[in-house]
Amino acid sequence: ADDLPDGLVVADARGRVILFNTLAVQLTGVPAETALGSDFRSALPFVGPDGHDWWEASNPYGGARDRVRQAERSLYLPDEREVLVAARYVRARPEGDLIRLVVTLRDAATRAERTRADLVSEVAHELRSPLTSVKGFTSTLLTKWERLTDKQKLFMLETVNADADRVTRLIHDLLDVSRIESGRLEVRRQVVDLHEAVRRVVAGRVFSGEDEGRFDVRVEGEIPQMWLDPDKLEQILSNLVENGVRHGAGTVSVVIEPCEGGAAVSVRDEGQGIAPETIPRVFRQFWRSKRRSGTGLGLFIVKGLVEAHGGTITVGRAPGGGAEFRFTMPAGAPEFV
């Protein structure tokens, strides 16, 4: 078992670990002497992407008796390290009691190709809907133009225009992901007014139909001169404000304040917030809560844009409830940041 390229863990009919190979020790950090004889859940304390105990959710020794395997998936150790985990259920007879639980482990660093496959799958899924709509409406306009009313034509053209914008946004997101991952993201710095940048983003939301009273923008303290990329700053702010509007509730507050070496911007909403156990995974690619839609790339891109400026971003609970995304940016001329 120690010669295998993967981590291997075997538990008996009672859920006690009877095999824990060397690679399993390396991947989990659990000593073999501690794991052997212990319950499989304590030897492999995995949680899923939603932060819940994976073994409680998958229930290998209970549940449907016709299950024979668990497909490989990303799970997380208590220290937030990611591990690729698959399981096989060995039964005494078909649909009988489980007599062996065989778990294989792989280092998540080997998932690069799988991540690319996931990205292709996600993109294909996101493109299918708008392109189907565009094709359907343009075909209708071309073949039935004379029979359509002006109102019907306008509706179809507006829909095609909106779907084209949606595809364009997705392409921009993919380009950003590529630049972030390859370290080719360029930051073109110039002096920016943080307060004015926030006001422009909020004004854009109001122009799009949001109630002006839903937003609260304020500056607390004297802000130093900031050298930032204005386009990327707008992208960061737009994403976080939209996040508060779409997934939060009540007032969306944007607070600008000085911090050590620069300035901090906090975007807060009054919704349900983000569960504490999922916070460490919010900025990963493809992360989506049950209430979220889209590719799950937005916050990953925001983090990359902030860090490209030398800043940091965190998420937590807002003072009045809801979620708070807070990012900091260093001040100073380009040669000093």
Side-chain angles (χ1 to χ4, degrees):
D2 285 340
D3 294 330
L4 294 173
D6 297 331
L8 180 65
V9 180
V10 179
D12 63 15
R14 297 181 303 141
R16 299 293 174 181
V17 175
I18 57 175
L19 190 151
F20 203 84
N21 76 350
T22 300
L23 194 53
V25 173
Q26 294 174 4
L27 290 173
T28 64
V30 177
E33 56 270 23
T34 301
L36 291 171
S38 68
D39 184 83
F40 70 98
R41 288 165 293 196
S42 61
L44 301 172
F46 292 127
V47 295
D50 59 0
H52 294 129
D53 184 318
W54 169 245
W55 298 119
E56 183 179 333
S58 63
N59 191 16
Y61 286 84
R65 286 175 168 260
D66 58 350
R67 296 181 305 166
V68 295
R69 63 188 290 272
Q70 281 281 358
E72 186 176 77
R73 67 196 63 220
S74 292
L75 298 178
Y76 300 89
L77 292 162
D79 61 3
E80 297 302 328
R81 279 185 298 138
E82 184 181 5
V83 181
L84 302 180
V85 181
R88 185 163 60 90
Y89 302 153
V90 180
R91 301 184 183 278
R93 61 183 185 281
E95 300 188 14
D97 292 337
L98 190 67
I99 59 171
R100 290 286 187 275
L101 173 65
V102 181
V103 181
T104 56
L105 316 173
R106 287 197 304 132
D107 190 337
T110 64
R111 83 176 279 185
E113 289 190 8
R114 180 183 151 186
T115 298
R116 284 191 289 271
D118 287 344
L119 184 58
V120 170
S121 176
E122 289 283 352
V123 170
H125 177 77
E126 289 296 315
L127 286 174
R128 185 179 298 118
S129 177
L131 291 180
T132 300
S133 170
V134 167
K135 179 61 177 176
F137 281 133
T138 53
S139 295
T140 301
L141 288 167
L142 288 169
T143 58
K144 300 180 180 180
W145 181 268
E146 300 298 334
R147 285 177 281 169
L148 297 172
T149 66
D150 287 346
K151 185 176 181 180
Q152 289 174 323
K153 293 174 183 175
L154 180 62
F155 168 75
M156 292 183 186
L157 288 171
E158 286 175 341
T159 304
V160 168
N161 187 60
D163 284 334
D165 288 341
R166 182 174 164 189
V167 171
T168 300
R169 286 195 300 271
L170 177 59
I171 292 170
H172 286 162
D173 283 352
L174 294 174
L175 290 173
D176 283 337
V177 168
S178 175
R179 292 176 185 129
I180 288 168
E181 291 191 325
S182 64
R184 293 185 290 107
L185 194 66
E186 294 184 15
V187 177
R188 297 180 173 89
R189 297 178 187 270
Q190 64 186 64
V191 176
V192 299
D193 183 331
L194 275 176
H195 189 198
E196 180 59 29
V198 172
R199 286 195 299 183
R200 281 199 304 271
V201 168
V202 170
R205 299 295 311 187
V206 173
F207 182 77
S208 299
E210 294 290 341
D211 181 3
E212 186 175 2
R214 188 174 181 186
F215 300 98
D216 175 28
V217 179
R218 60 184 185 272
V219 179
E220 299 181 350
E222 185 175 348
I223 307 302
Q225 187 180 74
M226 303 298 296
W227 286 77
L228 308 171
D229 185 316
D231 293 333
K232 291 178 174 56
L233 175 63
E234 181 179 354
Q235 190 175 353
I236 293 166
L237 293 170
S238 295
N239 195 299
L240 295 180
V241 169
E242 180 181 3
N243 190 74
V245 170
R246 291 180 60 191
H247 307 300
T251 301
V252 176
S253 302
V254 185
V255 180
I256 307 163
E257 57 191 336
C259 69
E260 185 177 355
V265 180
S266 301
V267 181
R268 304 164 180 164
D269 64 61
E270 298 176 338
Q272 298 179 20
I274 298 172
E277 63 270 16
T278 67
I279 284 176
R281 288 175 280 282
V282 164
F283 297 108
R284 290 194 173 112
Q285 285 188 39
F286 311 127
W287 181 84
R288 290 185 292 255
S289 73
K290 293 179 180 177
R291 293 175 286 130
R292 296 172 186 268
S293 59
T295 60
L297 296 174
L299 292 174
F300 172 83
I301 292 170
V302 164
K303 183 173 185 287
L305 296 177
V306 169
E307 291 179 347
H309 283 81
T312 61
I313 184 167
T314 57
V315 60
R317 187 167 182 80
E324 175 185 85
F325 287 86
R326 184 177 190 270
F327 69 91
T328 63
M329 294 288 199
E335 61 267 28
F336 299 118
V337 294

